[in-house]
Structure formats: C-alpha cells, structure tokens
mmCIF file of all heavy atoms in Angstrom:
data_model
loop_
_atom_site.group_PDB
_atom_site.id
_atom_site.type_symbol
_atom_site.label_atom_id
_atom_site.label_comp_id
_atom_site.label_asym_id
_atom_site.label_seq_id
_atom_site.Cartn_x
_atom_site.Cartn_y
_atom_site.Cartn_z
ATOM 1 N N ARG O 1 -97.447 -136.274 -63.922
ATOM 2 C CA ARG O 1 -96.626 -137.502 -63.911
ATOM 3 C C ARG O 1 -97.142 -138.562 -64.878
ATOM 4 O O ARG O 1 -96.368 -139.276 -65.513
ATOM 5 C CB ARG O 1 -96.531 -138.068 -62.499
ATOM 6 C CG ARG O 1 -95.380 -139.059 -62.359
ATOM 7 C CD ARG O 1 -94.927 -139.199 -60.925
ATOM 8 N NE ARG O 1 -93.626 -139.855 -60.876
ATOM 9 C CZ ARG O 1 -92.461 -139.218 -60.996
ATOM 10 N NH1 ARG O 1 -92.445 -137.925 -61.152
ATOM 11 N NH2 ARG O 1 -91.324 -139.883 -60.953
ATOM 12 N N MET O 2 -98.449 -138.708 -65.004
ATOM 13 C CA MET O 2 -98.969 -139.716 -65.927
ATOM 14 C C MET O 2 -98.655 -139.351 -67.370
ATOM 15 O O MET O 2 -98.426 -140.233 -68.199
ATOM 16 C CB MET O 2 -100.480 -139.900 -65.730
ATOM 17 C CG MET O 2 -101.039 -141.119 -66.482
ATOM 18 S SD MET O 2 -100.285 -142.669 -65.935
ATOM 19 C CE MET O 2 -100.262 -143.591 -67.474
ATOM 20 N N GLN O 3 -98.647 -138.069 -67.681
ATOM 21 C CA GLN O 3 -98.235 -137.658 -69.029
ATOM 22 C C GLN O 3 -96.788 -138.070 -69.288
ATOM 23 O O GLN O 3 -96.453 -138.581 -70.364
ATOM 24 C CB GLN O 3 -98.364 -136.133 -69.197
ATOM 25 C CG GLN O 3 -99.800 -135.641 -69.317
ATOM 26 C CD GLN O 3 -100.355 -135.151 -68.005
ATOM 27 O OE1 GLN O 3 -100.203 -135.818 -66.979
ATOM 28 N NE2 GLN O 3 -101.002 -133.996 -68.006
ATOM 29 N N MET O 4 -95.931 -137.863 -68.296
ATOM 30 C CA MET O 4 -94.529 -138.232 -68.430
ATOM 31 C C MET O 4 -94.365 -139.740 -68.609
ATOM 32 O O MET O 4 -93.606 -140.208 -69.458
ATOM 33 C CB MET O 4 -93.748 -137.754 -67.208
ATOM 34 C CG MET O 4 -92.257 -138.086 -67.225
ATOM 35 S SD MET O 4 -91.871 -139.703 -66.475
ATOM 36 C CE MET O 4 -92.226 -139.357 -64.753
ATOM 37 N N LEU O 5 -95.108 -140.514 -67.807
ATOM 38 C CA LEU O 5 -95.026 -141.972 -67.907
ATOM 39 C C LEU O 5 -95.567 -142.466 -69.243
ATOM 40 O O LEU O 5 -95.049 -143.430 -69.809
ATOM 41 C CB LEU O 5 -95.797 -142.617 -66.748
ATOM 42 C CG LEU O 5 -95.191 -142.451 -65.352
ATOM 43 C CD1 LEU O 5 -96.099 -143.077 -64.310
ATOM 44 C CD2 LEU O 5 -93.809 -143.064 -65.287
ATOM 45 N N SER O 6 -96.609 -141.819 -69.745
ATOM 46 C CA SER O 6 -97.174 -142.203 -71.043
ATOM 47 C C SER O 6 -96.125 -142.076 -72.141
ATOM 48 O O SER O 6 -95.984 -142.960 -73.003
ATOM 49 C CB SER O 6 -98.379 -141.324 -71.382
ATOM 50 O OG SER O 6 -99.419 -141.485 -70.449
ATOM 51 N N LYS O 7 -95.380 -140.976 -72.110
ATOM 52 C CA LYS O 7 -94.355 -140.751 -73.135
ATOM 53 C C LYS O 7 -93.177 -141.705 -72.951
ATOM 54 O O LYS O 7 -92.638 -142.246 -73.916
ATOM 55 C CB LYS O 7 -93.883 -139.300 -73.088
ATOM 56 C CG LYS O 7 -94.974 -138.307 -73.459
ATOM 57 C CD LYS O 7 -94.515 -136.868 -73.273
ATOM 58 C CE LYS O 7 -95.629 -135.890 -73.617
ATOM 59 N NZ LYS O 7 -95.216 -134.473 -73.368
ATOM 60 N N ALA O 8 -92.778 -141.928 -71.698
ATOM 61 C CA ALA O 8 -91.647 -142.813 -71.426
ATOM 62 C C ALA O 8 -91.950 -144.250 -71.836
ATOM 63 O O ALA O 8 -91.073 -144.970 -72.324
ATOM 64 C CB ALA O 8 -91.290 -142.755 -69.946
ATOM 65 N N ALA O 9 -93.206 -144.670 -71.653
ATOM 66 C CA ALA O 9 -93.611 -146.031 -72.012
ATOM 67 C C ALA O 9 -94.064 -146.147 -73.462
ATOM 68 O O ALA O 9 -94.450 -147.225 -73.909
ATOM 69 C CB ALA O 9 -94.739 -146.494 -71.090
ATOM 70 N N LYS O 10 -94.042 -144.997 -74.183
ATOM 71 C CA LYS O 10 -94.443 -144.963 -75.598
ATOM 72 C C LYS O 10 -95.859 -145.511 -75.800
ATOM 73 O O LYS O 10 -96.115 -146.324 -76.682
ATOM 74 C CB LYS O 10 -93.452 -145.739 -76.467
ATOM 75 C CG LYS O 10 -92.057 -145.116 -76.480
ATOM 76 C CD LYS O 10 -91.111 -145.913 -77.373
ATOM 77 C CE LYS O 10 -89.778 -145.192 -77.550
ATOM 78 N NZ LYS O 10 -89.060 -144.980 -76.277
ATOM 79 N N LEU O 11 -96.772 -145.063 -74.940
ATOM 80 C CA LEU O 11 -98.175 -145.452 -75.092
ATOM 81 C C LEU O 11 -98.754 -144.776 -76.331
ATOM 82 O O LEU O 11 -98.214 -143.794 -76.832
ATOM 83 C CB LEU O 11 -98.978 -145.053 -73.855
ATOM 84 C CG LEU O 11 -98.524 -145.660 -72.521
ATOM 85 C CD1 LEU O 11 -99.462 -145.240 -71.404
ATOM 86 C CD2 LEU O 11 -98.440 -147.178 -72.600
ATOM 87 N N SER O 12 -99.861 -145.300 -76.808
ATOM 88 C CA SER O 12 -100.466 -144.758 -78.024
ATOM 89 C C SER O 12 -101.056 -143.372 -77.807
ATOM 90 O O SER O 12 -101.247 -142.622 -78.759
ATOM 91 C CB SER O 12 -101.561 -145.706 -78.532
ATOM 92 O OG SER O 12 -102.620 -145.795 -77.591
ATOM 93 N N LYS O 13 -101.368 -143.047 -76.543
ATOM 94 C CA LYS O 13 -101.911 -141.740 -76.202
ATOM 95 C C LYS O 13 -101.216 -141.221 -74.954
ATOM 96 O O LYS O 13 -100.595 -141.981 -74.207
ATOM 97 C CB LYS O 13 -103.418 -141.818 -75.942
ATOM 98 C CG LYS O 13 -104.247 -142.271 -77.139
ATOM 99 C CD LYS O 13 -105.718 -142.350 -76.763
ATOM 100 C CE LYS O 13 -106.558 -142.841 -77.944
ATOM 101 N NZ LYS O 13 -107.995 -142.948 -77.575
ATOM 102 N N THR O 14 -101.323 -139.928 -74.741
ATOM 103 C CA THR O 14 -100.783 -139.324 -73.530
ATOM 104 C C THR O 14 -101.922 -139.175 -72.532
ATOM 105 O O THR O 14 -102.846 -138.394 -72.746
ATOM 106 C CB THR O 14 -100.159 -137.949 -73.818
ATOM 107 O OG1 THR O 14 -99.095 -138.112 -74.759
ATOM 108 C CG2 THR O 14 -99.603 -137.337 -72.542
ATOM 109 N N TYR O 15 -101.864 -139.925 -71.447
ATOM 110 C CA TYR O 15 -102.933 -139.939 -70.462
ATOM 111 C C TYR O 15 -102.634 -138.998 -69.299
ATOM 112 O O TYR O 15 -101.481 -138.650 -69.045
ATOM 113 C CB TYR O 15 -103.156 -141.363 -69.944
ATOM 114 C CG TYR O 15 -103.671 -142.294 -71.009
ATOM 115 C CD1 TYR O 15 -102.855 -143.299 -71.525
ATOM 116 C CD2 TYR O 15 -104.959 -142.161 -71.520
ATOM 117 C CE1 TYR O 15 -103.321 -144.143 -72.517
ATOM 118 C CE2 TYR O 15 -105.434 -142.999 -72.510
ATOM 119 C CZ TYR O 15 -104.607 -143.992 -73.008
ATOM 120 O OH TYR O 15 -105.070 -144.826 -73.992
ATOM 121 N N THR O 16 -103.665 -138.626 -68.585
ATOM 122 C CA THR O 16 -103.540 -137.736 -67.437
ATOM 123 C C THR O 16 -103.688 -138.533 -66.145
ATOM 124 O O THR O 16 -104.097 -139.697 -66.153
ATOM 125 C CB THR O 16 -104.622 -136.649 -67.471
ATOM 126 O OG1 THR O 16 -105.911 -137.276 -67.313
ATOM 127 C CG2 THR O 16 -104.578 -135.885 -68.789
ATOM 128 N N ASN O 17 -103.382 -137.894 -65.019
ATOM 129 C CA ASN O 17 -103.567 -138.539 -63.720
ATOM 130 C C ASN O 17 -105.018 -138.958 -63.505
ATOM 131 O O ASN O 17 -105.296 -139.972 -62.863
ATOM 132 C CB ASN O 17 -103.151 -137.581 -62.596
ATOM 133 C CG ASN O 17 -101.663 -137.300 -62.581
ATOM 134 O OD1 ASN O 17 -100.921 -137.773 -63.439
ATOM 135 N ND2 ASN O 17 -101.217 -136.509 -61.622
ATOM 136 N N HIS O 18 -105.933 -138.181 -64.043
ATOM 137 C CA HIS O 18 -107.355 -138.490 -63.876
ATOM 138 C C HIS O 18 -107.710 -139.858 -64.448
ATOM 139 O O HIS O 18 -108.600 -140.542 -63.929
ATOM 140 C CB HIS O 18 -108.198 -137.406 -64.537
ATOM 141 C CG HIS O 18 -109.669 -137.690 -64.506
ATOM 142 N ND1 HIS O 18 -110.443 -137.489 -63.385
ATOM 143 C CD2 HIS O 18 -110.507 -138.180 -65.455
ATOM 144 C CE1 HIS O 18 -111.697 -137.834 -63.647
ATOM 145 N NE2 HIS O 18 -111.767 -138.245 -64.892
ATOM 146 N N CYS O 19 -107.033 -140.254 -65.505
ATOM 147 C CA CYS O 19 -107.341 -141.537 -66.143
ATOM 148 C C CYS O 19 -107.108 -142.718 -65.203
ATOM 149 O O CYS O 19 -107.792 -143.734 -65.303
ATOM 150 C CB CYS O 19 -106.487 -141.721 -67.401
ATOM 151 S SG CYS O 19 -106.995 -140.710 -68.793
ATOM 152 N N ILE O 20 -106.137 -142.597 -64.296
ATOM 153 C CA ILE O 20 -105.847 -143.711 -63.390
ATOM 154 C C ILE O 20 -107.041 -143.969 -62.485
ATOM 155 O O ILE O 20 -107.494 -145.107 -62.325
ATOM 156 C CB ILE O 20 -104.596 -143.414 -62.547
ATOM 157 C CG1 ILE O 20 -103.415 -143.045 -63.442
ATOM 158 C CG2 ILE O 20 -104.240 -144.625 -61.682
ATOM 159 C CD1 ILE O 20 -102.188 -142.580 -62.673
ATOM 160 N N GLY O 21 -107.571 -142.910 -61.876
ATOM 161 C CA GLY O 21 -108.747 -143.066 -61.027
ATOM 162 C C GLY O 21 -109.960 -143.527 -61.812
ATOM 163 O O GLY O 21 -110.785 -144.281 -61.313
ATOM 164 N N ALA O 22 -110.057 -143.083 -63.074
ATOM 165 C CA ALA O 22 -111.186 -143.494 -63.906
ATOM 166 C C ALA O 22 -111.146 -144.993 -64.175
ATOM 167 O O ALA O 22 -112.177 -145.674 -64.181
ATOM 168 C CB ALA O 22 -111.167 -142.726 -65.222
ATOM 169 N N VAL O 23 -109.942 -145.533 -64.394
ATOM 170 C CA VAL O 23 -109.793 -146.983 -64.585
ATOM 171 C C VAL O 23 -110.169 -147.726 -63.311
ATOM 172 O O VAL O 23 -110.820 -148.769 -63.341
ATOM 173 C CB VAL O 23 -108.349 -147.336 -65.005
ATOM 174 C CG1 VAL O 23 -108.125 -148.845 -64.953
ATOM 175 C CG2 VAL O 23 -108.081 -146.832 -66.413
ATOM 176 N N SER O 24 -109.773 -147.168 -62.171
ATOM 177 C CA SER O 24 -110.105 -147.795 -60.894
ATOM 178 C C SER O 24 -111.615 -147.867 -60.699
ATOM 179 O O SER O 24 -112.161 -148.889 -60.281
ATOM 180 C CB SER O 24 -109.457 -147.009 -59.754
ATOM 181 O OG SER O 24 -109.684 -147.636 -58.513
ATOM 182 N N ILE O 25 -112.302 -146.767 -61.026
ATOM 183 C CA ILE O 25 -113.760 -146.736 -60.910
ATOM 184 C C ILE O 25 -114.397 -147.740 -61.862
ATOM 185 O O ILE O 25 -115.334 -148.460 -61.505
ATOM 186 C CB ILE O 25 -114.276 -145.317 -61.183
ATOM 187 C CG1 ILE O 25 -113.854 -144.389 -60.030
ATOM 188 C CG2 ILE O 25 -115.794 -145.296 -61.339
ATOM 189 C CD1 ILE O 25 -114.111 -142.922 -60.297
ATOM 190 N N ALA O 26 -113.883 -147.821 -63.098
ATOM 191 C CA ALA O 26 -114.430 -148.766 -64.064
ATOM 192 C C ALA O 26 -114.212 -150.201 -63.618
ATOM 193 O O ALA O 26 -115.063 -151.068 -63.818
ATOM 194 C CB ALA O 26 -113.789 -148.532 -65.428
ATOM 195 N N THR O 27 -113.065 -150.473 -62.990
ATOM 196 C CA THR O 27 -112.772 -151.815 -62.492
ATOM 197 C C THR O 27 -113.736 -152.191 -61.382
ATOM 198 O O THR O 27 -114.286 -153.294 -61.356
ATOM 199 C CB THR O 27 -111.325 -151.889 -61.981
ATOM 200 O OG1 THR O 27 -110.430 -151.492 -63.015
ATOM 201 C CG2 THR O 27 -110.979 -153.309 -61.550
ATOM 202 N N LEU O 28 -113.960 -151.265 -60.450
ATOM 203 C CA LEU O 28 -114.916 -151.520 -59.378
ATOM 204 C C LEU O 28 -116.311 -151.775 -59.942
ATOM 205 O O LEU O 28 -117.031 -152.664 -59.478
ATOM 206 C CB LEU O 28 -114.958 -150.322 -58.428
ATOM 207 C CG LEU O 28 -113.778 -150.164 -57.467
ATOM 208 C CD1 LEU O 28 -113.801 -148.802 -56.810
ATOM 209 C CD2 LEU O 28 -113.806 -151.261 -56.415
ATOM 210 N N ASN O 29 -116.676 -151.001 -60.934
ATOM 211 C CA ASN O 29 -117.993 -151.146 -61.544
ATOM 212 C C ASN O 29 -118.149 -152.510 -62.200
ATOM 213 O O ASN O 29 -119.195 -153.152 -62.113
ATOM 214 C CB ASN O 29 -118.220 -150.038 -62.565
ATOM 215 C CG ASN O 29 -119.638 -150.031 -63.110
ATOM 216 O OD1 ASN O 29 -120.592 -150.138 -62.343
ATOM 217 N ND2 ASN O 29 -119.776 -149.917 -64.411
ATOM 218 N N SER O 30 -117.084 -152.995 -62.859
ATOM 219 C CA SER O 30 -117.158 -154.284 -63.544
ATOM 220 C C SER O 30 -117.243 -155.437 -62.554
ATOM 221 O O SER O 30 -117.799 -156.490 -62.855
ATOM 222 C CB SER O 30 -115.937 -154.472 -64.453
ATOM 223 O OG SER O 30 -114.751 -154.611 -63.680
ATOM 224 N N ILE O 31 -116.692 -155.237 -61.342
ATOM 225 C CA ILE O 31 -116.699 -156.297 -60.335
ATOM 226 C C ILE O 31 -118.000 -156.312 -59.539
ATOM 227 O O ILE O 31 -118.649 -157.335 -59.389
ATOM 228 C CB ILE O 31 -115.510 -156.128 -59.367
ATOM 229 C CG1 ILE O 31 -114.190 -156.321 -60.121
ATOM 230 C CG2 ILE O 31 -115.601 -157.127 -58.211
ATOM 231 C CD1 ILE O 31 -112.978 -155.915 -59.302
ATOM 232 N N ALA O 32 -118.370 -155.153 -59.025
ATOM 233 C CA ALA O 32 -119.494 -155.104 -58.093
ATOM 234 C C ALA O 32 -120.636 -154.211 -58.529
ATOM 235 O O ALA O 32 -121.642 -154.115 -57.838
ATOM 236 C CB ALA O 32 -118.992 -154.642 -56.722
ATOM 237 N N GLY O 33 -120.464 -153.544 -59.662
ATOM 238 C CA GLY O 33 -121.529 -152.681 -60.132
ATOM 239 C C GLY O 33 -121.719 -151.440 -59.292
ATOM 240 O O GLY O 33 -122.814 -150.893 -59.227
ATOM 241 N N ILE O 34 -120.618 -150.983 -58.637
ATOM 242 C CA ILE O 34 -120.755 -149.814 -57.761
ATOM 243 C C ILE O 34 -120.062 -148.596 -58.324
ATOM 244 O O ILE O 34 -120.122 -147.527 -57.735
ATOM 245 C CB ILE O 34 -120.192 -150.096 -56.355
ATOM 246 C CG1 ILE O 34 -118.676 -150.387 -56.431
ATOM 247 C CG2 ILE O 34 -120.931 -151.230 -55.702
ATOM 248 C CD1 ILE O 34 -118.031 -150.499 -55.074
ATOM 249 N N GLY O 35 -119.392 -148.729 -59.462
ATOM 250 C CA GLY O 35 -118.628 -147.610 -59.994
ATOM 251 C C GLY O 35 -119.471 -146.399 -60.311
ATOM 252 O O GLY O 35 -119.012 -145.267 -60.193
ATOM 253 N N THR O 36 -120.723 -146.631 -60.715
ATOM 254 C CA THR O 36 -121.576 -145.498 -61.076
ATOM 255 C C THR O 36 -121.906 -144.636 -59.875
ATOM 256 O O THR O 36 -122.293 -143.485 -60.021
ATOM 257 C CB THR O 36 -122.890 -146.008 -61.695
ATOM 258 O OG1 THR O 36 -123.477 -146.968 -60.806
ATOM 259 C CG2 THR O 36 -122.622 -146.670 -63.041
ATOM 260 N N LYS O 37 -121.725 -145.181 -58.664
ATOM 261 C CA LYS O 37 -121.969 -144.395 -57.459
ATOM 262 C C LYS O 37 -120.767 -143.498 -57.137
ATOM 263 O O LYS O 37 -120.882 -142.568 -56.373
ATOM 264 C CB LYS O 37 -122.231 -145.322 -56.273
ATOM 265 C CG LYS O 37 -123.479 -146.191 -56.433
ATOM 266 C CD LYS O 37 -123.646 -147.096 -55.237
ATOM 267 C CE LYS O 37 -124.862 -148.019 -55.389
ATOM 268 N NZ LYS O 37 -125.015 -148.921 -54.240
ATOM 269 N N LEU O 38 -119.622 -143.832 -57.711
ATOM 270 C CA LEU O 38 -118.404 -143.088 -57.383
ATOM 271 C C LEU O 38 -118.084 -142.015 -58.403
ATOM 272 O O LEU O 38 -117.400 -141.060 -58.119
ATOM 273 C CB LEU O 38 -117.219 -144.054 -57.287
ATOM 274 C CG LEU O 38 -117.349 -145.169 -56.244
ATOM 275 C CD1 LEU O 38 -116.153 -146.090 -56.312
ATOM 276 C CD2 LEU O 38 -117.464 -144.572 -54.852
ATOM 277 N N GLY O 39 -118.549 -142.196 -59.637
ATOM 278 C CA GLY O 39 -118.230 -141.219 -60.662
ATOM 279 C C GLY O 39 -118.477 -141.787 -62.030
ATOM 280 O O GLY O 39 -118.986 -142.889 -62.189
ATOM 281 N N SER O 40 -118.082 -141.046 -63.048
ATOM 282 C CA SER O 40 -118.308 -141.494 -64.410
ATOM 283 C C SER O 40 -117.351 -142.608 -64.773
ATOM 284 O O SER O 40 -116.253 -142.713 -64.225
ATOM 285 C CB SER O 40 -118.112 -140.327 -65.378
ATOM 286 O OG SER O 40 -116.816 -139.791 -65.221
#
C-alpha cells in the first residue's frame, strides 16, 4: 500500500510499509532518545 500511495502522491521515491514504522521510531528517538531501543 505504501508503494501505491507513493506513486499516487508523486513522491520522489517509492517507499515501503517498513518506512512508516521507521519514521515513527526516528520520531520517538528525536523526542525521548528511546528509538534506538526499538530498532534502527
């Protein structure tokens, strides 16, 4: 689904579902410094 949305929104790259969770982890890390405990 994220690949489909990437194309529909004409993003510069075609992203995968995994990227959404990765952004969430990075956001948590930037706020509380806990993202490294959850994943890369």
